[in-house]
Amino acid sequence: QISLLSLRTLATALCLLPAAALSAPASFLAAGEPPVVVDLRPREAFEQCHLSGSSSLPLTSLRARLFELPPPGEWPLTLVGSAAELETARALLLPKGWEFEERHADDSAFWEGAASESGPDSAPLLRPNAFLASALRQVDLPEAGAAIDVGCGSGRDAVFLAQTLGDTWETIGVDNHKGALERAQRLADGCGVSAAFALANVRKQSLSDLTERPISLVHGCRFLDRPLLRALPEVVAPGGLVVWSTFLDGELPPQAPPFRPSRRLQRGEMEHLFGESRGFEVLRAEEGTLLTRGVWESAAFLLARRTR
């Protein structure tokens, strides 16, 4: 017989396994999404010959530029490099939750028949969180206004919004971490997009203070502040969108932050906050998982449009 204690021990052990050992998070990407191919070799080797559509990110720069990679575990990823380069990258990336296929560039058989090219052109690395990408692919965008990425961190999602929405929009990333905002600005500059980044505490400051334009899109990922969410019906312009994903209070005790129940949603909470009585139409409300400290934890995902 298996005791209740044994079951709990097994459940805890499963939660502590590396991300690759767990079932993958709910995939919000289309089937057959092409992988992001990252070439770890020195730039000179990349320019001599590389896979078509690949991105150059030399191993010597990898640690400093991790924030440029797609979010861990959410997009198909392929690494190209020598055996030694792949080994070093593996030691850095796997504990942080990235999953990837490997291609050994020092194996001549690898290049035979592969679509390759030469020259300096490197494909864009940037990918947002998968739910945001999926949501904007399916929905009609509102009239141009301000798009605010709450808790933007190092800027992946804010820069993606600026790229997707274009210059007729004002894209603003807001965070209370100065170092993250500096990385976000470098990312925007490197991608050639116009995005503003504001150092602010949104728990104490209204989003309306960040812009004079109508707020037509608000996005948040891995962030929860209930007063802010309750205020969004007064902040988001009619027709505007809310795209939000954050951690959910699941059936098992959390094995990684956030640990406090107050920092996790209850089931159905987002649908209540953005239901018809609040002037919104819920377009998508789903459950899945988000990565935190190398562990996949329960999460809720919402896409809603303000109707009045």
Side-chain angles (χ1 to χ4, degrees), residues 63-69 98 154 156 183-184 186-187:
R63 184 180 296 275
R65 295 173 60 188
L66 287 177
F67 66 96
E68 297 182 32
L69 291 175
W98 271 283
S154 298
R156 280 192 195 101
R183 291 191 293 273
R186 291 201 304 272
L187 183 61

Side-chain angles (χ1 to χ4, degrees), residues 252-270:
L252 293 172
Q255 301 301 317
F259 292 105
R260 286 187 287 172
S262 62
R263 294 295 178 90
R264 288 175 175 254
L265 291 166
Q266 298 299 311
R267 281 197 166 89
E269 186 174 358
M270 289 296 275

Side-chain angles (χ1 to χ4, degrees), residues 28 131 134-136 138 281-286 301-304:
F28 299 114
F131 181 69
S134 171
L136 293 196
Q138 81 163 75
E281 176 189 7
V282 174
L283 304 177
R284 289 173 66 176
E286 304 174 28
F301 301 82
L302 177 117
L303 169 63

Side-chain angles (χ1 to χ4, degrees), residues 229 242 244 265-266 268-275 282 300 302:
L229 293 175
V242 174
W244 209 274
L265 291 166
Q266 298 299 311
E269 186 174 358
M270 289 296 275
E271 294 94 315
H272 174 73
L273 286 170
F274 295 98
V282 174
L302 177 117

Side-chain angles (χ1 to χ4, degrees), residues 181-232:
L181 293 177
E182 290 172 349
R183 291 191 293 273
Q185 189 62 66
R186 291 201 304 272
L187 183 61
D189 293 343
C191 292
V193 300
S194 176
F197 294 96
L199 181 65
N201 185 348
V202 296
R203 302 184 194 276
K204 299 179 180 180
Q205 181 178 349
S206 171
L207 299 184
S208 299
D209 296 338
L210 300 174
T211 179
E212 297 180 356
R213 298 187 64 178
I215 297 176
S216 297
L217 191 153
V218 176
H219 169 259
C221 182
R222 294 179 172 83
F223 182 84
L224 177 60
D225 182 65
R226 288 177 171 88
L228 182 150
L229 293 175
R230 286 194 290 267
L232 287 185

